[in-house]
Amino acid sequence: MAKSLFYFIVAGFFEIGGGYLVWLALKEDKGPWYLVAGAVVLFLYGIIPTLQEASFGRVYAAYGGIFIVLSILWGWQVDKVVPDMADLVGGVIALVGVLIIMYYPR
């Protein structure tokens, strides 16, 4: 479970970080190197989930919950948008979904 969660977190940072670099290139005119770097990071993000042991559909369904939580944290730490109660409750619900989808005994 620890290894699986590690892969989810690494994938999340690559996806959010890569998307953020593309955002900066296109929305804040940071230049083409941000766009190239974002594309490379997003490509690497696509590889990371293949390291998971579960099936594609299960991994990507559960990853969605991790992505939600990491996006809230990214917004809080990078964009300085403090999460409100709805963000926190939604994040907890998403994490419960991750635990059920990935780790419920079958």
Side-chain angles (χ1 to χ4, degrees), residues 14-15 17-19 21-22 32-48:
F14 274 64
E15 183 180 14
L21 289 169
V22 171
W33 289 112
Y34 278 72
L35 190 62
V36 170
V40 169
V41 172
L42 286 168
F43 172 78
L44 294 172
Y45 150 72
I47 294 170
I48 295 165

Side-chain angles (χ1 to χ4, degrees), residues 12-100:
F13 280 114
F14 274 64
E15 183 180 14
I16 295 165
Y20 190 67
L21 289 169
V22 171
W23 177 279
L24 291 174
L26 299 178
K27 298 282 268 185
E28 298 186 19
D29 297 321
K30 292 290 187 178
W33 289 112
Y34 278 72
L35 190 62
V36 170
V40 169
V41 172
L42 286 168
F43 172 78
L44 294 172
Y45 150 72
I47 294 170
I48 295 165
T50 67
L51 303 173
Q52 294 279 12
E53 298 293 326
S55 68
F56 177 85
R58 186 168 290 145
V59 166
Y60 274 81
Y63 170 68
I66 300 294
F67 179 81
I68 289 168
V69 172
L70 290 177
S71 295
I72 292 168
L73 293 172
W74 184 281
W76 184 18
Q77 295 303 305
V78 176
D79 290 331
K80 306 301 181 205
V81 176
V82 178
D84 62 17
M85 185 58 67
D87 296 325
L88 298 175
V89 170
V92 168
I93 291 169
L95 282 180
V96 169
V98 169
L99 294 173
I100 293 169

